[in-house]
Amino acid sequence: MNRTPLKLRAAFALCALVTVAFAQADEASPAPLHGFQVVYQFNSNDDGRDGVHPQGGVLTLPDGSLIGTTNLSGAHKKGVIYRIALPGGAETVVHDFKSSEGEGQYQPLVLASDGHVYGVSMFGGPSYAGTVWRIDPDGSHFTVVHAFAYSDVAYSPSSPLVEGSDGNLYGATAGSETHGAIYRMTPAGDVTVVHAFAVDGSEGYTPGALLLTADGDLYGTARSGGTLGGGTFYRLKQDGSFQVLHNFDATAEGALPFGRFVQAPDGSFYGVARHDGPRGWGTAWHLAPDGALTVLHAFGNDPGEGSSPVGLTRLADGTFYGTTDAGGADAGDGFGFGTVYKMNARGKVTVLHRFRNRYGGHHPSDQALALGTDGRLYGTCWQGGRHLTWHLEGGMGTVYRFTP
């Protein structure tokens, strides 16, 4: 029986990033753009044993290989943890999730200083309230570190984990006695709530991506709520004091700040809002340390341009790379299969790749692209790939790469 509360089902819908679109019936892969290459296509065999619908992107491991999760299928139909060997792209399933271990793998993974890879499941576990789990980089020793319960102050993790200088891991939950919470977890799995969001929603609803800065402060976004309704950007200081630095105005600045944001050397932040904004389909923004926000780029639905941006990655040269979940080659109506783009610090956006058909994947689902040890950027598409059986949208997902 599905015991998920209605408000968490709403959060689930935000995390799933599902965009309804129909795949083209092209019979050949498009010519690669800017070194774009499909590394792996998830196979839609009858049981989907290699996983279905990767979400959360991939994590680069020290040996150069990739590790990630799928949201569905596998031996128990609850998703898998997979590794991709490079450069060839061979996939190995290293763990099949059972419901008791977690369901809903939407968030990026993190490699902690203790040498383990950590991840979260939004649902599943003994109480179906989500779990924190870890696995060795080689795919061995899977362990559920913490299982949330609906009786807890916080449950249903909604953000990737970040590691503090104290050796603890920090994350956020969509469920709580209020509108979400931030928690601290010790390596042994002991969880302490360090902040519960205000009951009136003024601090935001459904906290998302987190960033721990060099000064030890934790910064994050909430996807909705705040005094203007479009979400918030906040800071949680080491002493436990909480401050909303910015309330998003949906019309002028965009709404649903989503995916990973980054901090520049000057202390300011760059990120994206998934919806609304001056042209209706999301924004890329710059936030000064004092909370003043500037819209760098407003995404529209013009043919060729992406819409609904997901997250940002910043390279050492100061250039930003990101993806859009929709728009691109077949846009003009708010749909399309998504894009990969680069952006400079002034907000000039150049589309590098437009997802055109099922073979290359469509609807990139990463909260941020991953920089490989080979200098290439890696990402995943939630749908697409050559294999087709029971998903008319076009396959079970892909892992791709391109050269910046």
Side-chain angles (χ1 to χ4, degrees):
M1 182 177 67
N2 189 341
R3 293 169 288 179
T4 311
L6 288 177
K7 70 175 182 177
L8 289 186
R9 293 190 186 186
F12 171 83
L14 290 176
C15 291
L17 299 180
V18 176
T19 303
V20 178
F22 292 97
Q24 294 178 328
D26 295 359
E27 294 301 326
S29 298
L33 300 176
H34 296 273
F36 178 90
Q37 181 183 16
V38 174
V39 178
Y40 184 76
Q41 302 180 72
F42 289 87
N43 196 344
S44 59
N45 52 35
D46 289 343
D47 57 7
R49 288 296 297 271
D50 64 344
V52 168
H53 298 330
Q55 288 190 257
V58 290
L59 171 69
T60 302
L61 296 173
D63 66 0
S65 63
L66 309 174
I67 190 169
T69 60
T70 70
N71 183 38
L72 294 174
S73 208
H76 309 293
K77 311 299 184 185
K78 304 302 181 184
V80 307
I81 304 172
Y82 64 88
R83 277 181 52 120
I84 300 286
L86 297 177
E91 189 234 28
T92 303
V93 173
V94 296
H95 185 76
D96 292 275
F97 282 96
K98 301 174 183 177
S99 181
S100 60
E101 299 169 338
E103 296 181 33
Q105 285 71 237
Y106 307 120
Q107 301 299 332
L109 308 180
V110 60
L111 179 63
S113 59
D114 63 7
H116 298 300
V117 174
Y118 286 83
V120 299
S121 298
M122 193 171 191
F123 305 114
S127 300
Y128 206 76
T131 63
V132 179
W133 48 265
R134 72 177 174 223
I135 194 169
D136 288 350
D138 64 3
S140 62
H141 302 107
F142 176 90
T143 303
V144 174
V145 183
H146 181 81
F148 294 90
Y150 288 123
S151 58
D152 297 338
V153 174
Y155 52 86
S156 292
S158 58
S159 80
L161 296 166
V162 294
E163 185 177 14
S165 58
D166 57 4
N168 295 314
L169 294 167
Y170 293 80
T173 65
S176 77
E177 295 175 343
T178 55
H179 290 295
I182 303 168
Y183 64 91
R184 176 176 60 242
M185 188 189 76
T186 69
D190 298 322
V191 167
T192 302
V193 172
V194 293
H195 182 77
F197 285 76
V199 176
D200 62 5
S202 60
E203 296 176 346
Y205 302 100
T206 314
L210 297 173
L211 177 66
L212 196 63
T213 57
D215 60 7
D217 290 344
L218 193 67
Y219 292 82
T221 58
R223 298 171 194 171
S224 60
T227 58
L228 300 178
T232 64
F233 187 94
Y234 62 83
R235 176 178 61 205
L236 179 65
K237 296 183 70 65
Q238 292 186 71
D239 62 8
S241 60
F242 182 93
Q243 180 185 10
V244 173
L245 297 177
H246 188 80
N247 290 278
F248 282 84
D249 181 325
T251 302
E253 301 169 341
L256 192 64
F258 196 91
R260 283 184 167 163
F261 55 91
V262 294
Q263 187 177 38
D266 64 359
S268 62
F269 300 92
Y270 292 80
V272 298
R274 185 168 167 76
H275 293 312
D276 297 313
R279 299 179 65 209
W281 290 98
T283 63
W285 46 262
H286 170 262
L287 189 74
D290 63 0
L293 186 140
T294 301
V295 173
L296 298 175
H297 183 81
F299 291 87
N301 62 351
D302 298 337
E305 175 162 311
S307 57
S308 298
V310 183
L312 288 179
T313 296
R314 183 181 184 274
L315 299 189
D317 64 359
T319 305
F320 301 90
Y321 288 82
T323 61
T324 65
D325 180 53
D330 301 292
D333 56 3
F335 293 103
F337 294 155
T339 67
V340 178
Y341 66 90
K342 70 176 180 180
M343 183 183 76
N344 64 20
R346 297 181 301 278
K348 180 182 178 181
V349 167
T350 303
V351 175
L352 301 179
H353 182 76
R354 299 176 178 93
F355 293 92
R356 295 178 181 272
N357 62 22
R358 65 176 181 257
Y359 295 139
H362 49 89
H363 304 314
S365 57
D366 306 22
Q367 292 195 29
L369 295 164
L371 181 63
T373 57
D374 58 4
R376 297 174 176 176
L377 288 167
Y378 288 81
T380 62
C381 285
W382 186 80
Q383 294 175 306
R386 189 176 301 275
H387 303 290
L388 283 170
T389 295
W390 43 269
H391 273 57
L392 296 179
E393 293 88 344
M396 304 304 175
T398 63
V399 178
Y400 63 88
R401 67 183 167 209
F402 67 95
T403 303

